[in-house]
Every structure is written in C-alpha cells, then in structure tokens.
C-alpha cells in the first residue's frame, strides 16, 4: 500500500496494548508514511512487522520500538493538534518514559532532508508545548 496523501511507501507497525487507546479507532496496528509522516491505516495485504523498522523511515526515530512507536503515533496525530491533544500528551509521556527527548527527536525529523513532512513539525511541537504548558 502507498500513502493516501503523497503515494510514497508506508511502514506498518504493531501498537502495544497500553497505547491502543491513543490510536484512532483503538487500532492494534497502524502505519506511517515514510515520506510525509502521515498516519495511515495499516496495509491489509502485508503483515505488520512485530519489530517495526521506523529508523528506515528516518534516523530521527529512536532505535528502540518502545519509544519509536509512540513517537510515530504522536507525530501522526500532530496533524490535528487541538483534537488529539490528550492522546499526544500520553504518547509523549510514553516516549519520554523510555528516556528519549521527544522535542529533540521531532526536531531531528524536521531536519531530515529525506522527509517531506505534511505538517510543520517544529511549529506543531511548539504549539503543543504551549497548549500543554510543557
Ligand atoms: Zn505520504
């Protein structure tokens, strides 16, 4: 399957049970576009990797899936910041519980020349910080 927004490849990943409530439709699987970072429904024709290689999308993602998966979800949900504020906050907590600096990782994604993010990552991160008083 390809991205509904830009047609690039998508990377599927399993969502751990404790994070599923923060995913649209409480889905156990999700996918992110390797180019524009839009969150997508997973590819139904391809198995979702249990150990997703989100670093193949960008080295801005943490190597550890325990941090990379909530990171990918949070970045995807930032497309609708006001609507998803609580979910993003919970996901950011999950990322930072793994010892990863969320803001720094977002900035690394924004600086990745291979990516064409659909949203202004740094702008959204700042807005998020203002909304939540972080
Ligand atoms: Zn895309």
């Amino acid at each position: 399957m390809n991205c509904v927004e830009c047609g690039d490849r998508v990377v599927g990943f399993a969502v751990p049970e404790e994070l599923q409530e923060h995913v649209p439709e409480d889905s156990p699987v999700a996918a992110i576009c390797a180019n524009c970072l839009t969150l997508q429904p997973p590819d139904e024709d391809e198995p979702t990797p249990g150990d997703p290689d989100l670093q193949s999308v960008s080295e801005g993602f943490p190597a550890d899936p325990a941090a990379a998966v909530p990171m990918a979800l949070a970045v995807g949900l930032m497309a609708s910041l006001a609507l998803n504020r609580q979910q993003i906050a919970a996901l950011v907590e999950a990322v930072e519980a793994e010892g990863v600096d969320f803001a720094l990782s977002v900035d690394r994604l924004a600086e990745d020349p291979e990516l064409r993010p659909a949203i202004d990552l740094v702008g959204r991160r700042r807005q998020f910080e203002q909304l939540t008083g972080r």
Side-chain angles (χ1 to χ4, degrees):
M1 194 183 80
N2 293 89
C3 174
V4 293
E5 299 292 334
C6 74
D8 213 302
R9 79 187 171 99
V10 302
V11 175
F13 53 89
V15 180
E17 207 170 333
E18 66 271 19
L19 296 179
Q20 286 173 15
E21 61 176 305
H22 310 306
V23 181
E25 297 170 17
D26 298 353
S27 175
V29 281
I32 192 167
C33 173
N35 179 48
C36 72
L37 302 180
T38 304
L39 206 56
Q40 329 250 333
D43 191 339
E44 287 172 7
D45 299 327
E46 275 178 44
T48 302
D51 183 19
D53 189 8
L54 286 164
Q55 281 203 309
S56 77
V57 175
S58 170
E59 291 182 358
F61 280 108
D64 182 359
V69 165
M71 174 93 204
L73 292 169
V75 166
L77 291 177
M78 283 204 297
S80 309
L81 202 54
L83 197 68
N84 297 320
R85 186 173 68 180
Q86 285 173 331
Q87 288 92 327
I88 297 167
L91 292 162
V92 170
E93 265 181 45
V95 171
E96 301 205 321
E98 299 298 324
V100 173
D101 186 321
F102 178 74
L104 200 69
S105 300
V106 168
D107 291 357
R108 285 182 62 196
L109 289 177
E111 286 164 9
D112 188 333
E114 306 280 305
L115 295 175
R116 302 269 179 281
I119 57 171
D120 169 13
L121 291 170
V122 175
R124 294 293 171 111
R125 172 180 67 70
R126 292 205 181 111
Q127 267 182 304
F128 169 74
E129 286 164 359
Q130 281 171 0
L131 280 170
T132 55
R134 282 164 56 88

